[in-house]
């Protein structure tokens, strides 16, 4: 099979699975996973074969067919398989496969049609994400970009009977439209200057971009990434996305939608290499988002929302890597993050499964003895995200911090290092409150049990991945980053000394261990009353617990004024006065006319005779005159 056919198969198989389960949901029912799982597992196997071929020097960039042809403008359906897209395809298909398998156990209580619909949405999500990462042009990337936005809306609001779920899906959809508006303008400007949106053409014609134009395009494209990858100021949709089924959260956070912005930015390295100001903005926004989100996770008590804020924070790290010019370091963290974040969300789903949907960690405790597989794999994921060696997060996070330091972004490095300590603290606060100590709600915990094998096997596989995949950093020929760099246009980051690198690594690990130690002291050794603790630092606690009141500010500044303007300007003026006024005015006009004309219809034959005579006389008179 040719490489083009293999790439096409990787993209289309999930679409076929989505079509069968979606159209024939009433017939497929509880057997939907027999279609959905192979529809993503087979592409995962093919992706590994493609990765082997790319490692051995094979690349692919070709057109399947020309999609849009208008004058000199040609937009193809085409795929680009290089080192960057290979990493993304392997990540998406592998992690998504285990999420699909886990879903068989998690969603077993769904109705037949709901079960098939759920797997149809999952497959469709993967189809659009694979389209996005394999596209060889920005237009096809945008199709996948909008497709994952649509699927996130469908899956976040999957239980649409719940008002909170329906609102969360709507919030995600609208927030991303704000960012996508800037993204589209960026594509228009890029096309105006280069005359093409095909990656290969943009790279060849990049010299037509002045630094000023490259900066404008870069910032506009990044505005789309702030929505899709949940960065300041458009991060607000992601914590609310927890309203969907937990495997959906794992898929969104680990392998699909939120990674799209990081991928797009790295794919556009030819533009950003000419726009150092845009890169600095990305780095600053990234590190600000990392610390901002981490601070909110410190006091949150919702199991899944803590993980959601950790995703926002880790995405900030990825953008720091991209922003300091170390694109491959950002992609490396994306790769490792997919394993441990997918693991953490699936573990949280296992806890929910055992506790009948409960998410408040303040009600938990003592679950370790009842759920040892879930607890141990959860601890592996927490150690990985905290950056404890030799787990995956240690290699990728430290690489980003190292590149930030040696490139001269010392302030960003310092904030990133402090945030790493905060990450370790809130993750082990979650671990200690959930799995250790005495149960704080005995009735809730006493009936807890381990999840079935169909759910725990994916946990074990992803835990093993969270331990091992970081070692890709030390593979021959430059390791993971050297491999990805072959597909990128790079900006010089700066040199470094081994002594300096060793110091940074040791410091980062020490900071993470301090964070874990503080969490242990607070929640295991001394175990203070959380209410007393919150009262001690009440103003700060309320600020963090209420998420800096950002949602309230957005409602006051944007949403409520928009609703009021819409109510008065669009409804009462445009709709009621103009549209209804025209329609009702036409109706009233003909009502008046008909009320006059109907008087002619008397029903008496002599009256009609006189009218005929009068009509004949008038017609004859007109003929004589004219």
């Amino acid at each position: 099979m040719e490489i083009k056919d293999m790439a096409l198969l990787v993209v289309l198989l999930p679409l076929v699975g989505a079509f069968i389960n979606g159209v024939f949901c009433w017939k497929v029912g509880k057997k939907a996973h027999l279609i959905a799982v192979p529809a993503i597992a087979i592409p995962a196997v093919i992706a590994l074969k493609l990765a082997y071929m790319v490692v051995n020097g094979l690349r692919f960039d070709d057109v399947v067919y020309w999609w849009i042809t208008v004058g000199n403008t040609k937009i193809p359906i085409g795929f680009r398989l290089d080192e960057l897209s290979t990493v993304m395809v392997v990540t998406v298909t592998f992690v998504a496969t285990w999420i699909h398998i886990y879903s068989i156990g998690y969603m077993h209580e769904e109705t037949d049609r709901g079960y098939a619909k759920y797997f149809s949405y999952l497959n469709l999500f993967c189809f659009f994400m694979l389209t996005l990462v394999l596209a060889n042009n920005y237009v096809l990337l945008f199709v996948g970009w909008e497709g994952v936005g649509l699927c996130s809306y469908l899956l976040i609001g999957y239980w649409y009977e719940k008002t909170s779920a329906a609102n969360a899906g709507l919030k995600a959809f609208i927030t991303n439209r704000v960012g996508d508006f800037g993204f589209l303008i960026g594509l228009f400007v890029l096309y105006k200057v280069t005359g093409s949106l095909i990656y290969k053409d943009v790279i060849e014609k990049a010299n037509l971009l002045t630094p000023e134009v490259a900066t404008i395009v870069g910032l506009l494209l990044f505005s789309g990434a702030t929505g899709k990858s949940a960065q300041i100021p458009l991060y607000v949709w992601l914590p609310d996305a927890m309203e969907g089924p937990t495997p959906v959260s794992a898929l969104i956070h680990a392998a699909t939608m939120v990674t799209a912005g990081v991928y797009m930015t790295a794919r556009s390295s030819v533009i950003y290499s000419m726009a150092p100001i845009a890169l600095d903005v990305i780095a600053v926004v990234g590190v600000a988002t990392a610390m901002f989100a981490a601070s909110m996770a410190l006091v949150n008590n919702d199991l899944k929302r803590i993980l959601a804020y950790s995703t926002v924070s880790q995405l900030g790290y990825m953008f720091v890597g991209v922003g300091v010019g170390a694109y491959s370091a950002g992609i490396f963290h994306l790769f490792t993050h997919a394993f441990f974040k997918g693991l953490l969300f699936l573990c949280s789903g296992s806890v929910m499964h055992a506790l009948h949907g409960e998410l408040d960690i303040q009600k938990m405790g003592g679950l370790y003895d009842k759920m040892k597989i879930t607890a141990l794999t959860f601890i592996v994921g927490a150690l990985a995200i905290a950056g404890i060696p030799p787990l995956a997060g240690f290699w990728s996070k430290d690489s980003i911090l190292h590149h930030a330091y040696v490139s001269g972004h010392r302030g960003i490095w310092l904030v990133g290092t402090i945030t790493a300590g905060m990450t370790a603290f809130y993750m082990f606060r979650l671990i200690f409150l959930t799995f250790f100590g005495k149960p704080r709600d005995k009735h809730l915990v006493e009936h807890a049990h381990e999840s079935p094998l169909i759910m725990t096997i994916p946990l074990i596989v992803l835990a093993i991945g969270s331990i091992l995949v970081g070692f890709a950093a030390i593979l021959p020929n430059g390791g993971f980053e050297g491999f990805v760099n072959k597909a990128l246009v790079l900006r010089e980051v700066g040199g470094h000394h081994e002594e300096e690198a060793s110091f940074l690594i040791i410091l980062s690990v020490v900071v993470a261990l301090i964070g874990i130690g503080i969490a242990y002291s607070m929640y295991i050794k001394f175990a203070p009353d959380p209410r007393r603790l919150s009262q001690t630092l009440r103003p700060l606690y309320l600020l963090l617990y209420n998420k800096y009141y950002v949602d309230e500010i957005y409602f006051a500044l944007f949403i409520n004024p928009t609703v009021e303007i819409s109510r008065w300007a669009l409804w009462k003026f445009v709709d009621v006065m103009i549209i209804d006024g025209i329609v009702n005015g036409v109706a009233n006009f003909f009502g008046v006319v008909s009320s006059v004309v109907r008087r002619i219809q008397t029903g008496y034959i002599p009256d009609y005779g006189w009218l005929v005579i009068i009509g004949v006389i008038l017609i004859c008179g007109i003929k004589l005159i004219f």
Side-chain angles (χ1 to χ4, degrees), residues 475-513:
L475 291 174
N477 302 317
F480 182 97
E481 293 184 29
F483 175 73
V484 173
N485 279 339
K486 296 176 183 178
L488 303 172
V489 177
L490 301 176
R491 183 169 72 101
E492 186 64 34
V493 173
H496 65 278
H497 302 288
E498 291 299 325
E499 299 83 1
E500 194 175 63
S502 299
F503 165 75
L504 296 174
I505 291 171
I506 293 171
L507 180 61
S508 178
V509 173
V510 168
V511 168
L513 290 174

Side-chain angles (χ1 to χ4, degrees), residues 393-441:
F394 160 75
W395 301 94
S396 56
K397 175 181 65 66
D398 276 47
S399 178
I400 290 171
L401 293 176
H402 174 256
H403 281 297
Y405 187 89
V406 300
S407 64
H409 296 82
R410 302 294 169 84
I412 289 175
W413 164 80
L414 179 61
V415 175
T417 301
I418 295 170
T419 303
M422 295 166 65
T423 302
F425 171 81
Y426 68 68
M427 284 307 305
F428 277 86
R429 169 181 176 264
L430 185 157
I431 292 287
F432 295 141
L433 288 176
T434 302
F435 295 105
F436 298 96
K438 295 180 180 179
R440 287 170 293 282
D441 187 332

